[in-house]
Amino acid sequence: MTTTALTNPFLDALGARTGIRVEFYDPTGCRYGFPTFPYRYAPKSLATRRQLRADGLRPNGYDPVAQILWRHRKEIRKAYLYRRDLAASKRVASPAQLAVIERMLIARRTCGTCGITRDYYIPTRTGACLICETGGTR
């Protein structure tokens, strides 16, 4: 992917017209060492992990090619961007895997003392439900 494909015409024109440099706009990676975009200004050909997941995709083992930086309160936050054209479809769990997951979740809700399956997860520090736990109020 070329750097010209990563540029944003609006942000380029803004900088040329006003002389104001947008803080987190660095499509070449000269300033931040990695192509960087401000929040909501990344090219449509790039997506975060969450955006890929919403589209039913995954990064497919490829490294991120750019990043988004933004300020939140007093810290700078970062999200990595992956190429959509290299993403693969999400893997689907087999029926056997789903059955194992369901049994594991039931085991997390089963009390180790009384053996009753509760409608909440048993605390791991005690291994007992809230009724069996000493000093429990239920």
Side-chain angles (χ1 to χ4, degrees):
M1 189 173 285
T2 64
T3 56
T4 55
L6 296 178
T7 59
N8 185 312
F10 173 74
L11 294 177
D12 287 336
L14 179 68
R17 187 179 67 236
T18 63
I20 298 173
R21 183 185 76 180
V22 178
E23 183 180 16
F24 296 127
Y25 180 60
D26 181 24
T28 60
C30 295
R31 199 171 351 148
Y32 296 103
F34 207 48
T36 305
F37 300 95
Y39 188 71
R40 296 188 187 259
Y41 283 98
K44 300 292 181 202
S45 61
L46 303 178
T48 63
R49 279 185 181 269
R50 283 189 178 193
Q51 290 169 333
L52 289 176
R53 179 173 290 179
D55 293 341
L57 301 171
R58 61 186 168 94
N60 200 19
Y62 289 100
D63 291 330
V65 295
Q67 65 185 351
I68 296 173
L69 293 179
W70 71 97
R71 289 190 186 280
H72 178 73
R73 299 192 175 142
K74 292 186 179 181
E75 65 182 70
I76 295 176
R77 295 210 172 169
K78 178 188 306 186
Y80 291 114
L81 297 170
Y82 300 87
R83 289 178 49 179
R84 286 184 188 268
D85 60 339
L86 296 178
S89 60
K90 284 177 27 178
R91 291 180 283 203
V92 179
S94 69
Q97 289 173 323
L98 293 174
V100 168
I101 291 169
E102 182 155 352
R103 286 197 304 265
M104 288 190 305
L105 292 177
I106 289 172
R108 286 184 62 191
R109 295 188 349 247
T110 304
C111 177
T113 306
C114 66
I116 298 174
T117 302
R118 303 290 178 182
D119 57 349
Y120 55 87
Y121 292 127
I122 305 299
T124 55
R125 64 173 158 46
T126 61
C129 65
L130 300 179
I131 296 171
C132 296
E133 188 178 315
T134 57
T137 59
R138 289 187 178 199

